[in-house]
Amino acid sequence: TKQQHLEKLSKELGAHGVVVGENYRFGYKASGDASDLVRLCEEYGMGTYIIRFVMDKNQDPRNIDSSDLKERGQVSSTRVCHALAEGDIKYVSELLGRHHCLIVMVKDHKEIFMTSSNCRVSARKSGLLNLPPKDGLYENCSLFFGDENPVRRVFIDSVHVHLDMDAPYLYNYDKFQDFEFLGIEFGE
């Protein structure tokens, strides 16, 4: 039931709040909606945040079927995943309302190769915590570890994500060794 769903979230899972879209349904046969969720969360002392639909500004209005939100251009994770699969970083940024940031878990710092003029950091795709764009070469990227650092290019192949940087930007190699995660922000 709706009540049992919230009880499980609150008591068994220890949730302090929920964030859902305005079309969220829950409970037996999806009998609960966002307004039910707000009311029940109040009863359980949980915060609730309902996210309004975000529409794709690039959707051609001539192809809109007003009865189907997806056809009307509702931004969804499916749209973002398709744009990533196409490697269309500009469109991904438009859909997200921000640049896409790829999070990489660095498991083996031995894959860091440095020369006098540049640095190449390679991380296995198996260490990715979210979806990368399709395999290929990307420019206008930034690497986040402490401070934002420009990356000359990011190359993604079937096994690795490779970052090519100028050596001066990797100003503190020892500090870099301490990072378990890297954030790569893709520009347009």
Side-chain angles (χ1 to χ4, degrees):
T1 66
K2 296 182 284 190
Q3 188 86 21
Q4 290 169 324
H5 181 81
L6 262 289
E7 192 170 303
K8 183 175 201 118
L9 282 175
S10 175
K11 293 182 179 171
E12 289 181 37
L13 299 176
H16 294 279
V18 293
V19 179
V20 298
E22 61 187 330
N23 64 341
Y24 180 70
R25 306 295 301 184
F26 69 103
Y28 180 70
K29 292 189 176 182
S31 61
D33 62 16
S35 62
D36 293 325
L37 183 68
V38 170
R39 180 182 52 77
L40 287 167
C41 280
E42 276 184 26
E43 288 179 25
Y44 283 92
M46 295 170 55
T48 313
Y49 188 78
I50 308 298
I51 297 177
R52 298 204 177 274
F53 294 127
V54 176
M55 303 309 282
D56 181 354
K57 296 177 184 104
N58 295 324
Q59 182 71 20
D60 185 349
R62 293 170 291 179
N63 297 329
I64 292 174
D65 174 2
S66 60
S67 66
D68 184 355
L69 287 174
K70 291 198 186 301
E71 290 303 313
R72 286 194 312 179
Q74 176 184 335
V75 173
S76 66
S77 59
T78 301
R79 273 182 198 257
V80 174
C81 289
H82 283 283
L84 283 169
E86 294 293 318
D88 191 345
I89 295 300
K90 184 175 190 234
Y91 188 43
V92 170
S93 294
E94 290 171 8
L95 291 172
L96 293 174
R98 60 172 173 75
H99 293 295
H100 177 60
C101 187
L102 184 61
I103 307 298
V104 182
M105 182 185 305
V106 181
K107 295 178 182 175
D108 186 0
H109 285 88
K110 293 176 190 163
E111 293 190 28
I112 300 169
F113 306 102
M114 295 184 76
T115 68
S116 59
S117 62
N118 65 40
C119 171
R120 171 166 267 193
V121 176
S122 297
R124 292 192 163 280
K125 283 174 97 173
S126 60
L128 296 178
L129 299 182
N130 59 341
L131 288 176
K134 82 174 188 178
D135 292 357
L137 179 67
Y138 298 91
E139 295 182 346
N140 298 321
C141 298
S142 297
L143 175 65
F144 290 90
F145 63 96
D147 299 315
E148 181 178 334
N149 296 284
V151 176
R152 275 194 282 138
R153 65 183 166 252
V154 173
F155 180 73
I156 301 173
D157 64 30
S158 60
V159 179
H160 289 91
V161 175
H162 305 281
L163 308 156
D164 288 335
M165 297 172 282
D166 293 325
Y169 290 113
L170 205 55
Y171 59 90
N172 189 339
Y173 182 76
D174 293 332
K175 180 180 176 186
F176 180 76
Q177 293 282 341
D178 295 336
F179 283 89
E180 292 182 48
F181 301 98
L182 298 176
I184 305 163
E185 186 175 84
F186 288 78
E188 295 175 12

